[in-house]
Amino acid sequence: MSKVFSSRPAIEKSVAKLLRDQPIIDMHTHLYPPSFGTPVPNCGGGGKTDRGGLLLWGLDELLTYHYLVAEVFRVVPATELAYEAFWKMPKTAQADHVWKHLFVERTPLSEACRGVLTCLELLGLDVDRKKDLARLRKWFTRQDPDKYIDRVMELSHVESITMTNNVFDDNERGRWLKDAASLRSDSRFKTVLRIDPILGNWQTAAGKLSAWGYAVGDGRALSAANIEEGQRFLHDWLDRQQAIYTALSIGPSWRYPAEADHAQAGQIALEKMILPVLAQRKLPFAMMIGSVRGVNAALGDAGDSLGKADVSSVARLCVAFPQNKFFITMLARENQHELCVTARKFGNLMIFGCWWFLNNPSLIEEITRMRLELLGTSMIPQHSDSRVLDQLLYKWEHSRTMIGKVLVDKYADLLEAEWPLTEGDIKADVERLFKGNFEEFLVR
Ligand code: FIX
Ligand code: ZN
C-alpha cells in the first residue's frame, strides 16, 4: 500500500506527476487520420494532399482557427476588411493577417492566442524567434503528417482521439462510401456517427435520407415503415463507421417533449429511430446542447454563439429512456449547476467537457470544482474539441493545469479531515477522470 500523505506540497507534487503520466482519451474532437486527406494549401509538408482533405494541422491552420478569426475581426472590423475579402485570401495570407494583428501589434492574451504560443512552446520552437513566421512555417513544412500525429499525441499524452464523423457532410460521406475500411483502420482514432439534422431539422434530414435510398417519407408524418427505414439508415452507418457512440449538437430551444410544431417530427425520430437503435446496440447518445449557429453567418464557424438551454428536458429524457445512455454537455455557463444536479439523479447520464466558449482556464476551474463537489469523480471533466491536430497540445496542457489545481485543493481538504489519502487513491481518480469513466460508460 502506498504512503499516506501528510502535507499539501507532497500532494501537489504527486498530482502533477500523476497527471503528466496519465494517458488521455479525448472523447470529442474534429480531428482525422491521414486517410481522410490533408488539404491544400497547408504549410505542413509531406503526405498526400487533397483539396477537400479533412486532417488539419500546422501553423496556418492553427492561426486561422475560427476562435482567432472571430478575434481578428474585432480589431480589424469588416468595414476595413470585408468578410468576403478575408475568405478569398489564401490561407497563408489569412494566417499572416491574424499573426500581425493579434500577436505582433497586440499582446496575445486571449486563451485562443495563448494556445498557439503553448503549442509552439511544447513543440520546442525557439521562443525568441517566434515572431518570425517564415522560420516557423519552415519547421512545419518539414514534418510528415503521419509521424507528426504520433509526436503530438505523445507530447499531449493523448492516447486515443475520438473523431466527429458527420454523415450529413457530403465530402466526408463520399469518403466513407468509397473506402470505409481504410478510414477506420488507424488505431489512434475512434469514430463517432454525427447526425445533427435528424433532431434539429428533420425535413432536411428526411430529404437527404430519401435521396440516399431510405424511404423515410416527406419529413412530416412518420409511418411505421418510415421509422424502420430510418433505423436501417442508422444501423448501416453505425456498421460502416463502427462508431463508438452517436452524437449531435442542438440549439438552446430544444425541448423534450417538443413544444414547437416544427420540432414534433424530430422528436419522433429521436424516440422511435435514434434511441431504440442505440439502446439495442448499447451505444451512448451524446447531446451537445446550447449552440446558436450563424449569429453572424458571414464569419462562418466563427459566427456561432450560444444560449441558455433547458436542463429539465434532459432529465425527462433520462426518465423516459432508462435503457439509453446519455453523454451530455451544455454550452452556457448558466446551465452548469443545474446540469450537475441533474446528473446526480441519473446513472444513465454522464456529463462531459467544458465545451467551446467554456474551454477557458477560469471556467474550467469553476466548473471542475463544482462538478467534483457535486459528483465526485463520476464525470468526464474535459474533451478538447480540437479542429487542428496541434491544438491537442495546448488544450490538454491548459486543462490539465486547471484540473490539477482543483484536485490539489480537494485533496488538501481531505487532509484537513484527517482522511488517510494515498498516491494510489490519486492515481485511481486521475485514471477515471481522463480515461476510465469514458471507457466504462461505453460498456455499461
Ligand atoms: O458542434 C460541435 O461539435 C462544436 O464543437 C463545433 O461545431 C464548434 O465549431 C467548435 O469547434 C467548438 O469548439
Ligand atoms: Zn465539437
Side-chain angles (χ1 to χ4, degrees):
M1 212 179 103
S2 51
K3 212 173 90 227
V4 172
F5 286 105
S6 57
S7 75
R8 185 179 171 110
I11 291 175
E12 273 166 8
K13 219 170 126 194
S14 173
V15 167
K17 181 192 173 306
L18 291 167
L19 283 175
R20 245 189 348 262
D21 292 350
Q22 178 58 49
I24 295 167
I25 296 183
D26 193 341
M27 70 163 284
H28 172 64
T29 76
H30 300 264
L31 302 176
Y32 298 88
S35 49
F36 285 77
T38 306
V40 271
N42 185 324
C43 75
K48 234 175 49 192
T49 57
D50 167 345
R51 197 148 291 279
L54 295 170
L55 162 59
L56 304 184
W57 66 281
L59 189 60
D60 290 328
E61 298 294 353
L62 277 176
L63 287 171
T64 55
Y65 185 33
H66 67 79
Y67 294 21
L68 290 171
V69 170
E71 290 174 30
V72 82
F73 269 104
R74 292 193 52 70
V75 299
V76 185
T79 44
E80 283 172 44
L81 174 66
Y83 298 120
E84 312 81 66
F86 176 81
W87 294 120
K88 274 194 198 131
M89 282 156 60
K91 183 145 282 181
T92 46
Q94 293 175 355
D96 287 342
H97 178 73
V98 169
W99 185 252
K100 176 170 183 281
H101 293 284
L102 297 182
F103 292 79
V104 179
E105 294 189 354
R106 283 171 185 76
T107 310
L109 278 172
S110 75
E111 173 64 5
C113 284
R114 176 186 164 222
V116 176
L117 303 182
T118 302
C119 291
L120 299 176
E121 184 68 21
L122 290 172
L123 288 166
L125 293 165
D126 190 343
V127 189
D128 293 337
R129 303 229 175 103
K130 273 205 190 116
K131 289 205 173 173
D132 185 348
L133 208 52
R135 287 180 72 112
L136 290 171
R137 275 204 179 103
K138 252 191 210 141
W139 184 88
F140 282 93
T141 312
R142 287 198 297 271
Q143 309 308 311
D144 168 74
D146 195 51
K147 292 200 189 102
Y148 190 61
I149 293 173
D150 284 337
R151 179 87 186 113
V152 169
M153 290 177 79
E154 189 191 318
L155 288 171
S156 56
H157 311 274
V158 171
E159 161 187 282
S160 172
I161 299 174
T162 316
M163 296 184 262
T164 294
N165 302 105
N166 184 1
V167 64
F168 289 95
D169 177 86
D170 290 337
N171 175 5
E172 183 167 345
R173 183 172 164 274
R175 292 169 192 270
W176 279 105
L177 292 174
K178 210 159 131 200
D179 189 2
S182 82
L183 296 189
R184 53 173 199 242
S185 67
D186 193 319
S187 61
R188 297 170 294 188
F189 292 79
K190 297 282 178 290
T191 49
V192 165
L193 177 63
R194 178 85 176 227
I195 54 167
D196 294 20
I198 294 191
L199 186 58
N201 188 343
W202 173 247
Q203 290 244 317
T204 303
K208 294 228 174 189
L209 263 63
S210 303
W212 298 336
Y214 298 92
V216 292
D218 61 4
R220 285 190 285 266
L222 270 160
S223 69
N226 295 153
I227 287 163
E228 234 175 78
E229 280 291 280
Q231 292 194 355
R232 183 169 70 84
F233 165 77
L234 291 172
H235 280 300
D236 282 356
W237 277 89
L238 287 166
D239 288 341
R240 181 169 287 121
Q241 293 183 346
Q242 289 176 15
I244 57 172
Y245 67 87
T246 292
L248 54 74
S249 88
I250 189 133
S253 62
W254 173 75
R255 294 289 178 276
Y256 185 79
E259 285 169 358
D261 283 350
H262 67 84
Q264 303 292 338
Q267 178 174 322
I268 298 174
L270 175 68
E271 292 176 331
K272 302 264 162 68
M273 280 165 45
I274 301 172
L275 294 178
V277 166
L278 294 180
Q280 186 191 336
R281 298 173 79 118
K282 293 190 182 315
L283 295 179
F285 185 40
M287 298 185 73
M288 309 175 70
I289 311 173
S291 50
V292 180
R293 304 288 177 188
V295 165
N296 182 356
L299 274 174
D301 286 338
D304 296 346
S305 187
L306 67 86
K308 264 180 280 173
D310 180 50
V311 180
S312 60
S313 290
V314 172
R316 285 190 286 275
L317 201 60
C318 291
V319 170
F321 293 90
Q323 302 308 324
N324 282 94
K325 301 180 279 188
F326 299 94
F327 280 129
I328 303 281
T329 197
M330 283 186 162
L331 200 46
R333 181 188 188 184
E334 293 83 346
N335 282 135
Q336 301 308 316
H337 181 250
E338 194 181 346
L339 182 60
C340 255
V341 173
T342 304
R344 293 171 63 88
K345 317 294 158 198
F346 299 102
N348 61 339
L349 166 55
M350 177 62 82
I351 60 174
F352 74 98
C354 299
W355 180 25
W356 199 344
F357 306 109
L358 296 173
N359 193 350
N360 292 315
S362 61
L363 295 171
I364 297 169
E365 181 175 0
E366 168 186 304
I367 293 168
T368 306
R369 202 175 286 279
M370 180 174 64
R371 286 173 175 170
L372 282 173
E373 286 164 3
L374 282 164
L375 298 166
T377 54
S378 68
M379 45 92 182
I380 297 169
Q382 191 56 307
H383 65 271
S384 80
D385 230 312
S386 298
R387 280 180 178 261
V388 180
L389 175 77
D390 324 46
Q391 289 169 343
L392 291 175
L393 296 164
Y394 94 80
K395 298 213 182 207
W396 281 110
E397 179 64 23
H398 295 183
S399 291
R400 214 177 356 245
T401 302
M402 299 322 292
I403 295 166
K405 189 172 170 209
V406 178
L407 282 174
V408 168
D409 286 348
K410 293 292 152 201
Y411 291 134
D413 290 345
L414 294 181
L415 210 64
E416 285 281 298
E418 299 194 5
W419 177 255
L421 181 77
T422 68
E423 184 153 278
D425 296 331
I426 301 182
K427 192 172 190 307
D429 291 342
V430 166
E431 196 277 337
R432 274 190 199 100
L433 292 170
F434 289 88
K435 180 175 169 178
N437 286 342
F438 176 72
E439 285 184 321
E440 276 170 27
F441 200 71
L442 287 184
V443 298
R444 193 178 270 183

